[in-house]
Amino acid sequence: MRPELMKNIRTVEPYVPGEQPQHKVVKLNTNENPYPPAPGVRDILRNMDTDSLRLYPDPTAEKLISALADHYGVGEDQVFAGVGSDDVLSMCFLTFFNSDRPVLFPDITYSFYKVWAELYRIPYECPALDDSFRIVREDYYRENGGIIFPNPNAPTAIYEELDFVEDILSHNRDSVVIVDEAYVDFAGRSAMELIDKYDNLIVVQTFSKARSMAGMRIGYAVSNPELIRCLNDVKYSFNSYTMNQTSILCGVEAVRDTEYFNESIRKIVETREWAKEELHRLGFVFPDARANFIFARHPQCDADELFEALKKHDIYVRHWKGGRIGQYLRITIGTREEMEILFDFLNKYVKK
Ligand SMILES: *Cc1c(COP(=O)(O)O)cnc(C)c1O
């Protein structure tokens, strides 16, 4: 394109999602849940009144907000909902990160953060994880325009206890701190319990992982009423009808079925703990995995080659070429049966 025309065009380097192959594979590459959503979701879709689709959805997503508020024991004015947590996080960047000082997030983390910072032209710095891939809390004691990190972190799967989160919050009373808890249900306590204590905290969660609804696109933030109001004002300045009617209704059913939710988590955690033992037995090394994936390398196997060999056998995992994590593969926890297919392959591959 002509430079004269180019000069006023926003050029961005977009986020690259994991592959979504359209043929049947053992799909361990995008941290989806291998189990179906709660049965109530299926019932909603089967009995759906399609006539009502002619109407715009409820712009406030009131039913879903209310179900989430009930579930977490917070006020409805403390919950914000969006089209997946990617939408919620993007709104958070736009709303809360408006300083000349850099926003801070780890060098190895969810790669969308950098994309949004670039897109919205927010200055940012990325303190390096330490040699064991842990976030160094002291790196977040300096002046900044906001902080965001996932807990557990992605793609490392390392979970930090709440005293760590609290330490970062208390050192940054004048910055908004966003804790992206996409995987917290597989890991431990949520920072939500710190919301009344720290007015600078936003907790973001999603229906895509633990609730098996990546295809529905539902995410939410929980915070104090003031910060949630700011988020809503930005959202309504952007698009007043973000969530569709079907997602709102299905989301409500998923939130209400805590028994199904807990059972699905229990199965995945059980399979994860077994998969860790199997990987250890095969000589893989990895940080303690507390999410629904394991970030592992094998000292004798090149990650690029293993990735390609797995793919050739229709087993998809995630791999980022080069850099500090170039020798690692991120393996999502599937069903026990899917993991057995993976280990049948790895057993032969590692011993060849
Ligand atoms: C999966 C993921 C998200 C986004 O999930 P949505 O499907 O958009 O809700 C956000 N943050 C992290 C760290 C994730 O892994």
Side-chain angles (χ1 to χ4, degrees), residues 104-141:
L104 304 178
F105 49 85
D107 65 335
I108 297 168
T109 193
Y110 189 41
S111 52
F112 230 140
Y113 301 158
K114 187 173 162 216
V115 174
W116 288 315
E118 294 277 351
L119 175 63
Y120 297 136
R121 299 186 179 145
I122 300 164
Y124 63 95
E125 282 173 19
C126 298
L129 298 183
D130 71 14
D131 288 341
S132 41
F133 287 157
R134 302 282 294 269
I135 298 173
V136 182
R137 65 177 78 189
E138 291 81 9
D139 289 343
Y140 297 81
Y141 291 176

CSV table of all heavy atoms in Angstrom, one decimal, residues 104-141:
chain,number,residue,atom,x,y,z
A,104,LEU,N,2.3,-3.2,33.9
A,104,LEU,CA,3.2,-4.3,34.1
A,104,LEU,C,2.5,-5.7,34.0
A,104,LEU,O,1.5,-5.9,34.5
A,104,LEU,CB,3.9,-4.3,35.5
A,104,LEU,CG,4.6,-3.0,35.9
A,104,LEU,CD1,5.1,-3.1,37.3
A,104,LEU,CD2,5.8,-2.7,34.9
A,105,PHE,N,3.2,-6.6,33.2
A,105,PHE,CA,2.7,-8.0,33.2
A,105,PHE,C,3.9,-8.9,32.9
A,105,PHE,O,4.9,-8.4,32.3
A,105,PHE,CB,1.6,-8.2,32.2
A,105,PHE,CG,1.7,-7.7,30.8
A,105,PHE,CD1,2.3,-8.4,29.8
A,105,PHE,CD2,1.2,-6.4,30.5
A,105,PHE,CE1,2.4,-7.9,28.5
A,105,PHE,CE2,1.3,-5.9,29.2
A,105,PHE,CZ,1.9,-6.6,28.2
A,106,PRO,N,3.9,-10.1,33.2
A,106,PRO,CA,5.1,-11.0,33.1
A,106,PRO,C,5.5,-11.1,31.6
A,106,PRO,O,4.7,-11.0,30.7
A,106,PRO,CB,4.7,-12.3,33.7
A,106,PRO,CG,3.5,-12.1,34.5
A,106,PRO,CD,2.8,-10.9,33.9
A,107,ASP,N,6.8,-11.4,31.4
A,107,ASP,CA,7.3,-11.6,30.0
A,107,ASP,C,6.7,-12.9,29.4
A,107,ASP,O,6.4,-12.9,28.2
A,107,ASP,CB,8.9,-11.6,29.9
A,107,ASP,CG,9.5,-12.8,30.7
A,107,ASP,OD1,8.9,-13.3,31.6
A,107,ASP,OD2,10.7,-13.1,30.3
A,108,ILE,N,6.5,-13.9,30.3
A,108,ILE,CA,5.9,-15.1,29.8
A,108,ILE,C,4.5,-15.2,30.4
A,108,ILE,O,4.4,-15.4,31.6
A,108,ILE,CB,6.8,-16.3,30.1
A,108,ILE,CG1,8.1,-16.2,29.4
A,108,ILE,CG2,6.1,-17.6,29.7
A,108,ILE,CD1,9.2,-17.2,29.9
A,109,THR,N,3.5,-15.0,29.6
A,109,THR,CA,2.2,-15.0,30.1
A,109,THR,C,1.2,-15.0,28.9
A,109,THR,O,1.6,-15.3,27.8
A,109,THR,CB,1.9,-13.7,31.0
A,109,THR,OG1,0.7,-13.9,31.7
A,109,THR,CG2,1.8,-12.4,30.2
A,110,TYR,N,-0.1,-14.8,29.2
A,110,TYR,CA,-1.1,-14.8,28.2
A,110,TYR,C,-0.7,-13.8,27.1
A,110,TYR,O,-0.7,-12.6,27.4
A,110,TYR,CB,-2.4,-14.5,28.8
A,110,TYR,CG,-3.6,-14.7,27.9
A,110,TYR,CD1,-3.7,-15.8,27.1
A,110,TYR,CD2,-4.7,-13.8,28.0
A,110,TYR,CE1,-4.9,-16.0,26.3
A,110,TYR,CE2,-5.8,-14.0,27.2
A,110,TYR,CZ,-5.9,-15.1,26.3
A,110,TYR,OH,-7.0,-15.3,25.5
A,111,SER,N,-0.5,-14.2,25.9
A,111,SER,CA,0.1,-13.3,24.9
A,111,SER,C,-0.9,-12.2,24.4
A,111,SER,O,-0.5,-11.3,23.7
A,111,SER,CB,0.6,-14.1,23.7
A,111,SER,OG,-0.3,-14.9,23.2
A,112,PHE,N,-2.2,-12.3,24.8
A,112,PHE,CA,-3.1,-11.3,24.4
A,112,PHE,C,-2.9,-9.9,25.1
A,112,PHE,O,-3.2,-8.9,24.6
A,112,PHE,CB,-4.6,-11.7,24.7
A,112,PHE,CG,-5.5,-11.6,23.6
A,112,PHE,CD1,-6.5,-12.6,23.3
A,112,PHE,CD2,-5.5,-10.5,22.8
A,112,PHE,CE1,-7.4,-12.4,22.3
A,112,PHE,CE2,-6.4,-10.3,21.7
A,112,PHE,CZ,-7.4,-11.3,21.5
A,113,TYR,N,-2.2,-10.0,26.3
A,113,TYR,CA,-2.0,-8.7,27.0
A,113,TYR,C,-1.2,-7.7,26.2
A,113,TYR,O,-1.5,-6.5,26.1
A,113,TYR,CB,-1.3,-9.0,28.4
A,113,TYR,CG,-2.0,-9.9,29.3
A,113,TYR,CD1,-1.3,-10.5,30.3
A,113,TYR,CD2,-3.4,-10.1,29.2
A,113,TYR,CE1,-1.9,-11.4,31.2
A,113,TYR,CE2,-4.0,-11.0,30.1
A,113,TYR,CZ,-3.3,-11.6,31.1
A,113,TYR,OH,-3.9,-12.5,32.0
A,114,LYS,N,-0.2,-8.3,25.6
A,114,LYS,CA,0.7,-7.4,24.8
A,114,LYS,C,-0.1,-6.9,23.5
A,114,LYS,O,0.1,-5.7,23.2
A,114,LYS,CB,1.9,-8.3,24.3
A,114,LYS,CG,2.9,-7.5,23.6
A,114,LYS,CD,4.2,-8.3,23.3
A,114,LYS,CE,5.0,-7.5,22.3
A,114,LYS,NZ,5.6,-8.4,21.3
A,115,VAL,N,-0.9,-7.7,23.0
A,115,VAL,CA,-1.7,-7.3,21.8
A,115,VAL,C,-2.6,-6.1,22.2
A,115,VAL,O,-2.7,-5.1,21.4
A,115,VAL,CB,-2.5,-8.5,21.2
A,115,VAL,CG1,-3.4,-8.0,20.1
A,115,VAL,CG2,-1.6,-9.6,20.8
A,116,TRP,N,-3.3,-6.2,23.3
A,116,TRP,CA,-4.2,-5.1,23.7
A,116,TRP,C,-3.4,-3.9,24.0
A,116,TRP,O,-3.8,-2.8,23.7
A,116,TRP,CB,-5.0,-5.5,24.9
A,116,TRP,CG,-6.1,-6.5,24.6
A,116,TRP,CD1,-6.9,-6.5,23.5
A,116,TRP,CD2,-6.4,-7.7,25.3
A,116,TRP,NE1,-7.8,-7.6,23.5
A,116,TRP,CE2,-7.5,-8.3,24.6
A,116,TRP,CE3,-6.0,-8.3,26.5
A,116,TRP,CZ2,-8.1,-9.5,25.0
A,116,TRP,CZ3,-6.5,-9.5,26.9
A,116,TRP,CH2,-7.6,-10.1,26.2
A,117,ALA,N,-2.3,-4.0,24.7
A,117,ALA,CA,-1.4,-2.9,25.1
A,117,ALA,C,-1.0,-2.1,23.8
A,117,ALA,O,-1.1,-0.9,23.7
A,117,ALA,CB,-0.2,-3.3,25.9
A,118,GLU,N,-0.6,-2.9,22.8
A,118,GLU,CA,-0.2,-2.3,21.5
A,118,GLU,C,-1.4,-1.7,20.8
A,118,GLU,O,-1.3,-0.5,20.3
A,118,GLU,CB,0.4,-3.4,20.6
A,118,GLU,CG,1.7,-4.0,21.1
A,118,GLU,CD,2.9,-3.1,20.7
A,118,GLU,OE1,2.8,-2.2,19.9
A,118,GLU,OE2,4.0,-3.4,21.2
A,119,LEU,N,-2.5,-2.4,20.8
A,119,LEU,CA,-3.7,-1.9,20.1
A,119,LEU,C,-4.2,-0.6,20.7
A,119,LEU,O,-4.5,0.4,19.9
A,119,LEU,CB,-4.8,-3.0,20.2
A,119,LEU,CG,-6.2,-2.6,19.6
A,119,LEU,CD1,-6.1,-2.4,18.1
A,119,LEU,CD2,-7.2,-3.7,19.9
A,120,TYR,N,-4.2,-0.5,22.0
A,120,TYR,CA,-4.7,0.7,22.7
A,120,TYR,C,-3.6,1.7,22.9
A,120,TYR,O,-3.8,2.7,23.6
A,120,TYR,CB,-5.4,0.4,24.0
A,120,TYR,CG,-6.6,-0.5,23.8
A,120,TYR,CD1,-6.9,-1.6,24.6
A,120,TYR,CD2,-7.6,-0.2,22.8
A,120,TYR,CE1,-8.0,-2.4,24.5
A,120,TYR,CE2,-8.7,-1.0,22.7
A,120,TYR,CZ,-8.9,-2.1,23.5
A,120,TYR,OH,-10.1,-2.8,23.4
A,121,ARG,N,-2.4,1.4,22.5
A,121,ARG,CA,-1.2,2.3,22.7
A,121,ARG,C,-1.0,2.6,24.2
A,121,ARG,O,-0.8,3.7,24.6
A,121,ARG,CB,-1.3,3.5,21.9
A,121,ARG,CG,-1.4,3.1,20.4
A,121,ARG,CD,-1.4,4.3,19.5
A,121,ARG,NE,-1.5,3.8,18.1
A,121,ARG,CZ,-2.1,4.3,17.1
A,121,ARG,NH1,-2.8,5.5,17.3
A,121,ARG,NH2,-2.1,3.8,15.9
A,122,ILE,N,-1.0,1.6,25.0
A,122,ILE,CA,-0.7,1.7,26.4
A,122,ILE,C,0.7,1.3,26.6
A,122,ILE,O,1.2,0.2,26.1
A,122,ILE,CB,-1.6,0.7,27.2
A,122,ILE,CG1,-3.1,1.0,26.9
A,122,ILE,CG2,-1.3,0.7,28.7
A,122,ILE,CD1,-4.0,-0.1,27.4
A,123,PRO,N,1.6,2.2,27.2
A,123,PRO,CA,2.9,1.8,27.5
A,123,PRO,C,3.0,0.6,28.5
A,123,PRO,O,2.1,0.5,29.3
A,123,PRO,CB,3.6,3.0,28.2
A,123,PRO,CG,2.4,3.8,28.6
A,123,PRO,CD,1.2,3.5,27.8
A,124,TYR,N,3.9,-0.4,28.2
A,124,TYR,CA,4.0,-1.5,29.1
A,124,TYR,C,5.4,-2.0,29.3
A,124,TYR,O,6.2,-1.8,28.4
A,124,TYR,CB,3.1,-2.7,28.5
A,124,TYR,CG,3.5,-3.2,27.2
A,124,TYR,CD1,4.3,-4.3,27.1
A,124,TYR,CD2,3.1,-2.6,26.0
A,124,TYR,CE1,4.7,-4.8,25.8
A,124,TYR,CE2,3.5,-3.0,24.8
A,124,TYR,CZ,4.3,-4.2,24.7
A,124,TYR,OH,4.7,-4.6,23.5
A,125,GLU,N,5.6,-2.7,30.3
A,125,GLU,CA,6.9,-3.4,30.6
A,125,GLU,C,6.6,-4.8,31.1
A,125,GLU,O,5.6,-5.0,31.7
A,125,GLU,CB,7.7,-2.6,31.6
A,125,GLU,CG,8.4,-1.4,31.0
A,125,GLU,CD,9.1,-0.6,32.1
A,125,GLU,OE1,9.3,-1.1,33.2
A,125,GLU,OE2,9.3,0.6,31.8
A,126,CYS,N,7.5,-5.7,30.7
A,126,CYS,CA,7.3,-7.1,31.0
A,126,CYS,C,8.4,-7.7,31.9
A,126,CYS,O,9.4,-8.3,31.3
A,126,CYS,CB,7.2,-7.9,29.7
A,126,CYS,SG,5.8,-7.4,28.7
A,127,PRO,N,8.3,-7.6,33.2
A,127,PRO,CA,9.4,-8.2,34.1
A,127,PRO,C,9.5,-9.7,33.8
A,127,PRO,O,8.5,-10.4,33.6
A,127,PRO,CB,8.8,-7.9,35.5
A,127,PRO,CG,7.8,-6.8,35.3
A,127,PRO,CD,7.3,-6.9,34.0
A,128,ALA,N,10.7,-10.2,33.8
A,128,ALA,CA,11.0,-11.6,33.5
A,128,ALA,C,10.6,-12.5,34.6
A,128,ALA,O,10.8,-12.2,35.8
A,128,ALA,CB,12.4,-11.8,33.1
A,129,LEU,N,10.0,-13.6,34.3
A,129,LEU,CA,9.8,-14.7,35.3
A,129,LEU,C,11.2,-15.1,35.7
A,129,LEU,O,12.2,-15.0,34.9
A,129,LEU,CB,9.0,-15.9,34.7
A,129,LEU,CG,7.6,-15.6,34.2
A,129,LEU,CD1,7.0,-16.9,33.7
A,129,LEU,CD2,6.7,-15.0,35.2
A,130,ASP,N,11.3,-15.7,36.9
A,130,ASP,CA,12.6,-16.2,37.3
A,130,ASP,C,12.9,-17.5,36.6
A,130,ASP,O,12.2,-18.0,35.8
A,130,ASP,CB,12.7,-16.3,38.9
A,130,ASP,CG,11.9,-17.4,39.5
A,130,ASP,OD1,11.4,-18.3,38.7
A,130,ASP,OD2,11.7,-17.4,40.7
A,131,ASP,N,14.1,-18.1,37.0
A,131,ASP,CA,14.5,-19.3,36.3
A,131,ASP,C,13.5,-20.5,36.4
A,131,ASP,O,13.5,-21.4,35.6
A,131,ASP,CB,15.9,-19.8,36.8
A,131,ASP,CG,17.0,-18.8,36.2
A,131,ASP,OD1,16.7,-18.1,35.3
A,131,ASP,OD2,18.1,-18.7,36.8
A,132,SER,N,12.8,-20.5,37.5
A,132,SER,CA,11.8,-21.6,37.6
A,132,SER,C,10.4,-21.1,37.2
A,132,SER,O,9.4,-21.7,37.6
A,132,SER,CB,11.8,-22.1,39.0
A,132,SER,OG,11.8,-21.1,40.0
A,133,PHE,N,10.4,-20.0,36.4
A,133,PHE,CA,9.1,-19.5,35.8
A,133,PHE,C,8.2,-18.9,36.8
A,133,PHE,O,7.0,-18.8,36.5
A,133,PHE,CB,8.4,-20.6,34.9
A,133,PHE,CG,9.1,-21.0,33.6
A,133,PHE,CD1,8.8,-22.2,33.0
A,133,PHE,CD2,9.9,-20.1,33.0
A,133,PHE,CE1,9.4,-22.5,31.8
A,133,PHE,CE2,10.5,-20.4,31.8
A,133,PHE,CZ,10.3,-21.6,31.2
A,134,ARG,N,8.7,-18.5,37.9
A,134,ARG,CA,7.8,-17.9,38.9
A,134,ARG,C,7.8,-16.3,38.7
A,134,ARG,O,8.8,-15.8,38.3
A,134,ARG,CB,8.3,-18.1,40.4
A,134,ARG,CG,8.4,-19.6,40.7
A,134,ARG,CD,7.1,-20.2,41.1
A,134,ARG,NE,6.5,-19.6,42.2
A,134,ARG,CZ,6.7,-20.1,43.5
A,134,ARG,NH1,7.4,-21.2,43.7
A,134,ARG,NH2,6.0,-19.6,44.5
A,135,ILE,N,6.7,-15.7,39.0
A,135,ILE,CA,6.6,-14.3,38.9
A,135,ILE,C,7.4,-13.7,40.1
A,135,ILE,O,7.3,-14.2,41.2
A,135,ILE,CB,5.1,-13.8,39.0
A,135,ILE,CG1,4.3,-14.3,37.8
A,135,ILE,CG2,5.0,-12.3,39.1
A,135,ILE,CD1,2.8,-14.0,37.9
A,136,VAL,N,8.2,-12.7,39.9
A,136,VAL,CA,9.0,-12.1,41.0
A,136,VAL,C,8.3,-10.9,41.6
A,136,VAL,O,8.1,-9.9,40.9
A,136,VAL,CB,10.4,-11.7,40.5
A,136,VAL,CG1,11.2,-11.1,41.6
A,136,VAL,CG2,11.1,-12.8,39.8
A,137,ARG,N,7.8,-11.1,42.8
A,137,ARG,CA,6.8,-10.1,43.3
A,137,ARG,C,7.5,-8.7,43.4
A,137,ARG,O,6.8,-7.7,43.2
A,137,ARG,CB,6.3,-10.5,44.7
A,137,ARG,CG,7.3,-10.6,45.8
A,137,ARG,CD,6.6,-11.0,47.1
A,137,ARG,NE,6.3,-12.4,47.1
A,137,ARG,CZ,5.5,-12.9,48.1
A,137,ARG,NH1,5.0,-12.2,49.0
A,137,ARG,NH2,5.3,-14.2,48.1
A,138,GLU,N,8.8,-8.6,43.7
A,138,GLU,CA,9.5,-7.3,43.9
A,138,GLU,C,9.5,-6.5,42.6
A,138,GLU,O,9.6,-5.3,42.6
A,138,GLU,CB,10.9,-7.5,44.4
A,138,GLU,CG,11.0,-8.0,45.8
A,138,GLU,CD,10.8,-9.5,45.9
A,138,GLU,OE1,10.8,-10.2,44.9
A,138,GLU,OE2,10.7,-10.0,47.1
A,139,ASP,N,9.4,-7.2,41.4
A,139,ASP,CA,9.3,-6.5,40.2
A,139,ASP,C,8.1,-5.7,40.0
A,139,ASP,O,8.0,-4.8,39.1
A,139,ASP,CB,9.4,-7.5,39.0
A,139,ASP,CG,10.7,-8.2,38.8
A,139,ASP,OD1,11.7,-7.7,39.4
A,139,ASP,OD2,10.8,-9.2,38.2
A,140,TYR,N,7.1,-5.9,40.9
A,140,TYR,CA,5.8,-5.2,40.8
A,140,TYR,C,5.7,-4.2,41.9
A,140,TYR,O,4.6,-3.7,42.2
A,140,TYR,CB,4.7,-6.2,40.8
A,140,TYR,CG,4.8,-7.1,39.6
A,140,TYR,CD1,5.6,-8.2,39.5
A,140,TYR,CD2,4.0,-6.8,38.4
A,140,TYR,CE1,5.7,-9.0,38.4
A,140,TYR,CE2,4.2,-7.5,37.3
A,140,TYR,CZ,5.0,-8.6,37.3
A,140,TYR,OH,5.1,-9.4,36.1
A,141,TYR,N,6.8,-3.8,42.5
A,141,TYR,CA,6.8,-2.8,43.6
A,141,TYR,C,7.1,-1.4,43.0
A,141,TYR,O,7.0,-0.4,43.7
A,141,TYR,CB,7.9,-3.1,44.7
A,141,TYR,CG,7.6,-4.3,45.5
A,141,TYR,CD1,8.6,-4.7,46.5
A,141,TYR,CD2,6.4,-5.0,45.4
A,141,TYR,CE1,8.3,-5.8,47.3
A,141,TYR,CE2,6.2,-6.2,46.2
A,141,TYR,CZ,7.2,-6.5,47.1
A,141,TYR,OH,7.0,-7.6,47.9
